[in-house]
Amino acid sequence: MISVAIDGPSGAGKSTVARRAAQALSFIYIDTGALYRTIGLYMSQRLEDTKDAAAVEKLLSQISINLKFIDGEQHVFLNGKDVSAEIRTPQAAMHASNVSAIPAVRVFLLEMQRDFARENNVIMDGRDIGTVVLPKAQVKIFLTASVEARAKRRLAEHTARGEHIDFNELIKEIETRDYNDSHRAIAPLKCAEDAVLLDTTALSLEESVEKVVSMIRKTLCGEKSIK
C-alpha cells in the first residue's frame, strides 16, 4: 500500500488539496480532524467536561469509527451512525480541541489511522502525519503559505458564509495557532526531515493540487506506480 502524508499549518489548504489529490489518484483521503471531532462528539454526549482525561479515556473502548465514501464524499460513521454533519458544528470543533490534547485519545487514533494506511492507498493530512502517525510514508509533503495568504483564504471562506471577520484579527488568530501547534508537548507541528516543502502562497487551488499530484507521481517513480 502507498501512504502520502501532508502536513502543514492552519489555513494552508491541506484538507482541500489532499482531498482533490486523492480523487485524482483514486486514493482514500483520511481527514484526521474528522476523527478527533467524532470522538469529541461522542464524549460531549456523555460527559459534562470533555477535558476530563480520565473520564474520556474510560469511554474510548466504546467507540468504533469507520470512514466510507458515498458519491465521492467522505462520510464518518460513529458506532454505525453517519455523523458527518454533526461533527461540523462549532461545538464539535471545541470538543475536538479538548480531546485532542489528551494523550490516550491520540494513542487511540494513532493505531486507527495506521490501520487505514495498512489497508488502503491513502493521502492523510494533519500536523504530525509525517513525523508521528506515518513516519514511513513513501511520500511526505509539508504544505505551507504566508500568514497573509492563509488569512485571505480564511476571510474568503467566512465571507462566503455571510460572516464578517476582521482581517487583522484573522492574522493574529493564525499566528497564535501556528505558535501553539508548533510548541505543544504532544505531537507538535513540524516539517519531517524527509518531507518536500511546498509553499502555495502564489498558487491557486488548482495549481496546488496539480503540484501535489505531480510530486506524488514523481516520488513514486512515475505514473505506472499509481493506477
Side-chain angles (χ1 to χ4, degrees):
M1 293 299 163
I2 298 170
S3 297
V4 178
I6 299 182
D7 292 304
S10 175
K14 299 185 302 297
S15 296
T16 304
V17 171
R19 184 183 299 108
R20 294 200 182 185
Q23 291 174 344
L25 296 166
S26 297
F27 278 27
I28 298 297
Y29 165 60
I30 306 297
D31 179 356
T32 60
L35 302 178
Y36 285 99
R37 283 171 176 261
T38 301
I39 291 181
L41 174 67
Y42 185 85
M43 298 303 170
S44 70
Q45 296 171 342
R46 289 158 177 78
L47 301 174
E48 292 185 5
D49 182 9
T50 52
K51 292 182 180 179
D52 186 336
V56 168
E57 183 174 359
K58 186 176 180 180
L59 294 177
L60 284 175
S61 62
Q62 301 177 9
I63 294 177
S64 173
I65 301 176
N66 290 297
L67 301 180
K68 296 181 181 180
F69 281 79
I70 302 175
D71 296 328
E73 292 295 326
Q74 177 180 281
H75 286 246
V76 185
F77 288 79
L78 170 61
N79 293 338
K81 177 186 176 183
D82 189 342
V83 295
S84 303
E86 292 179 67
I87 63 173
R88 295 305 173 185
T89 66
Q91 292 78 14
M94 177 190 70
H95 294 303
S97 178
N98 290 343
V99 300
S100 68
I102 299 173
V105 172
R106 303 197 75 89
V107 170
F108 177 78
L109 286 182
L110 177 63
E111 287 309 310
M112 183 180 299
Q113 291 168 95
R114 287 176 174 172
D115 283 342
F116 285 133
R118 278 190 283 265
E119 299 170 1
N120 306 276
N121 292 330
V122 302
I123 294 182
M124 193 177 297
D125 77 278
R127 290 172 176 77
D128 65 340
I129 307 304
T131 55
V132 177
V133 180
L134 301 176
K136 295 183 179 180
Q138 291 94 327
V139 183
K140 297 181 183 180
I141 299 171
F142 193 85
L143 202 68
T144 189
S146 70
V147 172
E148 291 74 16
R150 288 185 278 145
K152 287 179 180 178
R153 293 169 186 171
R154 288 294 193 208
L155 182 63
E157 292 173 359
H158 286 294
T159 301
R161 293 195 294 264
E163 302 168 353
H164 300 287
I165 306 294
D166 182 76
F167 182 69
N168 291 325
E169 285 301 315
L170 273 178
I171 288 180
K172 291 180 181 178
E173 289 177 8
I174 290 174
E175 289 177 336
T176 299
R177 181 70 180 273
D178 286 351
Y179 180 85
N180 291 340
D181 285 345
S182 60
H183 288 78
R184 66 190 182 195
I186 302 173
L189 166 68
K190 63 180 180 179
C191 181
E193 293 183 1
D194 53 346
V196 178
L197 179 66
L198 176 59
D199 190 323
T200 66
T201 299
L203 301 178
S204 66
L205 174 59
E206 290 71 22
E207 289 171 332
S208 297
V209 173
E210 184 179 345
K211 285 273 190 183
V212 166
V213 171
S214 176
M215 292 165 70
I216 293 172
R217 292 190 189 279
K218 182 178 180 180
T219 304
L220 296 176
C221 302
E223 295 189 16
K224 290 183 180 180
S225 298
I226 310 175
K227 299 295 185 180

